[in-house]
Amino acid sequence: MSQASLSPTNDSKMNTATATGTRLDDPANGVTRRTGGEDGGVVKKTDQLNGNSNTETTISTPEKPKRSYRSSKYRHVEAIHSESQPSCLSHDTTETPSFLGFRNLMVIVLVVGNLRLYGVLICLNCHDFRPTDLQIGIFLYFLIPCHLFLAYFIELVAAHSARSSLFPKPKPSPSGTSSPTEAQLSKFQSTWTLIWVFHALNITTCLVLTTYVVWYHVHHPLIGTLSEVHAIIVWLKTASYAFTNRDLRHAYLHPVTGELDALPELYRECPYPNNITFTNLVYFWWAPTLIYQPVYPRTSKIRWVFVAKRLGEVVCLSVFIWFCSAQYATPVLINSLDKIASLDYFSIIERLLKLSTISLVIWLAGFFALFQSFLNALAEITRFGDRSFYEAWWNSEGLGMYWRTWNKPVYQFFRRHVYSPMRSRGYTHKTASFAVFFLSAVLHELLVGVPTHNLIGVAFLGMFLQLPLIQITQPLEKRKSSSGKLLGNTIFWVSFTIFGQPFAALMYFYAWQAKYGSVSRQQQHQSVQAVCPAPH
């Protein structure tokens, strides 16, 4: 009997048996009968082809119940609490939850609450952009990278000199190496000194010239800040370009086995001096890094949809920052001028606390726009593979961890070209750290003080005084208890949100207003009244 000859009676029996917990299957060589429901049972096989009632009895393994509310017989006995797991906001959670909803709520409450209290305070015609500011800003934008190209020509001459010095090739030692003699080492040092002088003059001219033009000829702080940031970036990139090629040139001229093994494996794809090309330099100019390497990890293709999304985020966040600055930050700063002038300390603290919230929102938006959106878009366009521009700095257990994680391009530059070379030359950790924070403090003062035309030292001290604060919070970073980490993170946020950016914003805004704005006009009016009293 074939499978197709089963009668409707058999079909109905099979359906009835399935409903009552007994299943009837119909394989080609017979019928398999399962009894016992879901928990297993006896399997009987009947040979239909031969017409025999030969029965084979086996015990089947129990089947696992299906997790389906529709097919399960007992719907009220499902094990909801089947494993131990912490709350998502606990310290011992294994997965970090997303706080996107809290971010949206914070923005909504901030906007709606302040609009209700203050109304719309934005002034579209209060930008005070002068035509000469825009012209000079565009001129500096194209002039500043020329110093990076001058560094390329300096290294091109040095590479040509290195090639010519290898002919005739030096006779290698029996071990296959060519360690430099005293004369060769002296020649290399004198050549490097000359190259270093040219590089130093080039990058110093870049920074000094930009600073001079911004200080004397650019009035608006925004244009001055963008120009100064561009100059500092080129200054750092040029320094990295010079220092890296210096070590690669030394390894090329004197390939000692141990030193060659220390070179990264990635560099073998483009060994020195093959990396001294104009194309290689242009890529380094646009790559989202301050560290020069002959070769970088690259992605296979450009995702233009990804680029469009990141650039859209930059535009939206820039508008958001402008709105928050004009609507919330500027009124608080203006209302603080008379309190600072009269040295009303309690009112200054009150304004400082009020400013801390909005300054934190603006700073977080700026951080996301720069490090997450803009640098990722630039990395995608250049196919730059390493996109670890920051780490989870918001969980910092101390200020030292914050400075190592929030801006990794700058941290990597100072560690590679300042801290590590000083440590290898025998300097202590404190001395090397002092040099790093001192140089960083100078650059911060140039970045803030020059565009606002007020070198008052607040940005310098704010950066340089991080050293003692790091020493205070460093023991908390080493503690393994959650209370120590919580205390360290609290100290970080308090120092960051109250005594950091808001205080600096107050001081530089007051200095700007005292020099160019309402405070200056008020002081001039008071001096005129003192010199020229009203006639009787």
Side-chain angles (χ1 to χ4, degrees):
M1 182 184 297
S2 63
Q3 181 179 358
S5 63
L6 290 176
S7 63
T9 306
N10 294 334
D11 290 340
S12 62
K13 290 181 179 180
M14 182 173 62
N15 295 333
T16 305
T18 304
T20 58
T22 302
R23 201 182 76 206
L24 297 175
D25 295 329
D26 188 19
N29 59 350
V31 177
T32 301
R33 184 186 303 272
R34 180 182 298 273
T35 62
E38 295 180 351
D39 296 332
V42 179
V43 179
K44 297 181 180 180
K45 290 185 178 180
T46 304
D47 191 353
Q48 290 183 347
L49 294 178
N50 299 327
N52 300 327
S53 60
N54 187 16
T55 302
E56 178 183 357
T57 304
T58 58
I59 303 300
S60 63
T61 58
E63 294 183 354
K64 294 183 179 179
K66 297 181 180 180
R67 296 178 58 87
S68 175
Y69 293 105
R70 295 182 178 179
S71 61
S72 177
K73 182 177 181 180
Y74 304 104
R75 301 185 181 184
H76 299 284
V77 297
E78 182 184 3
I80 300 297
H81 307 288
S82 59
E83 59 181 353
S84 300
Q85 53 184 349
S87 301
C88 64
L89 295 180
S90 301
H91 294 291
D92 52 350
T93 183
T94 57
E95 297 182 1
T96 303
S98 173
F99 296 98
L100 179 63
F102 281 115
R103 185 195 66 183
N104 297 336
L105 176 63
M106 180 180 63
V107 173
I108 293 173
V109 171
L110 185 66
V111 172
V112 175
N114 283 271
L115 284 177
R116 180 180 61 84
L117 293 175
Y118 305 111
V120 179
L121 304 177
I122 296 177
C123 178
L124 299 177
N125 298 323
C126 301
H127 51 75
D128 196 21
F129 282 110
R130 300 178 180 179
T132 55
D133 290 348
L134 295 174
Q135 296 171 2
I136 294 175
I138 296 174
F139 173 75
L140 289 176
Y141 177 79
F142 290 101
L143 177 65
I144 291 172
C146 295
H147 297 276
L148 191 59
F149 299 141
L150 287 177
Y152 161 71
F153 287 111
I154 295 173
E155 287 298 327
L156 189 64
V157 174
H160 178 74
S161 176
R163 283 194 183 97
S164 61
S165 64
L166 287 182
F167 296 97
K169 294 184 178 180
K171 185 177 180 180
S173 63
S175 62
T177 63
S178 56
S179 299
T181 62
E182 292 293 335
Q184 291 174 337
L185 186 60
S186 176
K187 180 181 178 181
F188 180 83
Q189 291 295 340
S190 61
T191 303
W192 162 243
T193 302
L194 184 62
I195 296 173
W196 179 87
V197 168
F198 282 113
H199 279 304
L201 290 175
N202 178 38
I203 62 177
T204 304
T205 303
C206 169
L207 195 57
V208 170
L209 181 61
T210 304
T211 301
Y212 174 84
V213 173
V214 171
W215 180 270
Y216 288 102
H217 300 285
V218 178
H219 174 73
H220 200 278
L222 177 60
I223 299 177
T225 300
L226 294 176
S227 301
E228 201 70 19
V229 168
H230 192 189
I232 291 176
I233 290 175
V234 171
W235 188 80
L236 296 175
K237 280 179 175 281
T238 306
S240 180
Y241 188 71
F243 284 127
T244 304
N245 282 309
R246 183 263 184 196
D247 288 352
L248 293 177
R249 184 164 52 252
H250 186 276
Y252 171 75
L253 293 174
H254 311 292
V256 182
T257 303
E259 296 179 357
L260 288 179
D261 294 339
L263 292 179
E265 185 72 20
L266 188 66
Y267 291 5
R268 297 185 180 181
E269 299 180 12
C270 186
Y272 186 89
N274 296 339
N275 64 303
I276 308 299
T277 61
F278 188 77
T279 304
N280 186 275
L281 178 78
V282 170
Y283 181 83
F284 173 56
W285 175 30
W286 284 101
T289 179
L290 300 175
I291 299 297
Y292 173 72
Q293 294 181 188
V295 183
Y296 296 96
R298 303 285 296 273
T299 57
S300 58
K301 62 180 181 178
I302 302 176
R303 299 170 295 176
W304 291 109
V305 176
F306 178 87
V307 174
K309 290 180 179 179
R310 300 292 81 78
L311 293 179
E313 291 173 354
V314 172
V315 174
C316 294
L317 287 172
S318 299
V319 174
F320 174 77
I321 292 172
W322 168 79
F323 174 82
C324 291
S325 301
Q327 175 69 21
Y328 308 123
T330 301
V332 175
L333 291 170
I334 293 177
N335 294 333
S336 305
L337 296 176
D338 58 337
K339 307 301 180 183
I340 299 176
S342 61
L343 297 180
D344 188 352
Y345 295 108
F346 291 101
S347 298
I348 293 175
I349 294 176
E350 184 268 336
R351 297 294 193 278
L352 193 66
L353 294 175
K354 184 180 295 185
L355 185 63
S356 63
T357 303
I358 186 60
S359 66
L360 178 61
V361 173
I362 293 174
W363 190 90
L364 291 176
F367 167 82
F368 194 93
L370 175 60
F371 289 93
Q372 176 62 27
S373 301
F374 178 74
L375 291 185
N376 268 286
L378 188 60
E380 189 69 25
I381 294 174
T382 57
R383 293 170 48 211
F384 190 82
D386 186 6
R387 305 183 183 182
S388 178
F389 305 120
Y390 60 92
E391 295 180 9
W393 56 265
W394 45 89
N395 295 326
S396 298
E397 299 158 7
L399 290 173
M401 183 178 179
Y402 164 73
W403 290 113
R404 292 190 300 267
T405 54
W406 92 273
N407 189 348
K408 291 187 67 176
V410 174
Y411 165 74
Q412 292 166 347
F413 175 89
F414 281 107
R415 182 173 182 82
R416 187 193 195 199
H417 297 301
V418 181
Y419 181 84
S420 295
M422 292 185 66
R423 292 286 287 156
S424 64
R425 286 170 172 79
Y427 290 95
T428 62
H429 167 73
K430 292 183 178 180
T431 304
S433 300
F434 178 88
V436 168
F437 277 90
F438 179 82
L439 180 58
S440 180
V442 172
L443 294 179
H444 274 77
E445 184 64 28
L446 291 177
L447 183 60
V448 180
V450 173
T452 57
H453 306 277
N454 288 285
L455 295 174
I456 57 179
V458 174
F460 176 87
L461 291 176
M463 187 66 194
F464 192 68
L465 292 179
Q466 296 295 316
L467 278 174
L469 294 177
I470 290 175
Q471 296 297 324
I472 294 174
T473 58
Q474 190 173 13
L476 298 175
E477 296 183 27
K478 299 179 180 179
R479 295 181 61 179
K480 298 182 180 180
S481 62
S482 58
S483 59
K485 297 179 180 179
L486 177 62
L487 180 60
N489 186 256
T490 303
I491 294 175
F492 153 69
W493 278 115
V494 170
S495 62
F496 179 76
T497 57
I498 299 178
F499 301 105
Q501 301 175 29
F503 181 76
L506 275 179
M507 293 299 100
Y508 282 99
F509 185 81
Y510 179 80
W512 170 267
Q513 292 292 333
K515 197 170 185 178
Y516 299 106
S518 59
V519 177
S520 175
R521 290 190 292 269
Q522 182 179 0
Q523 292 175 349
Q524 292 176 1
H525 179 69
Q526 291 176 354
S527 63
V528 169
Q529 286 183 343
V531 175
C532 303
H536 295 288

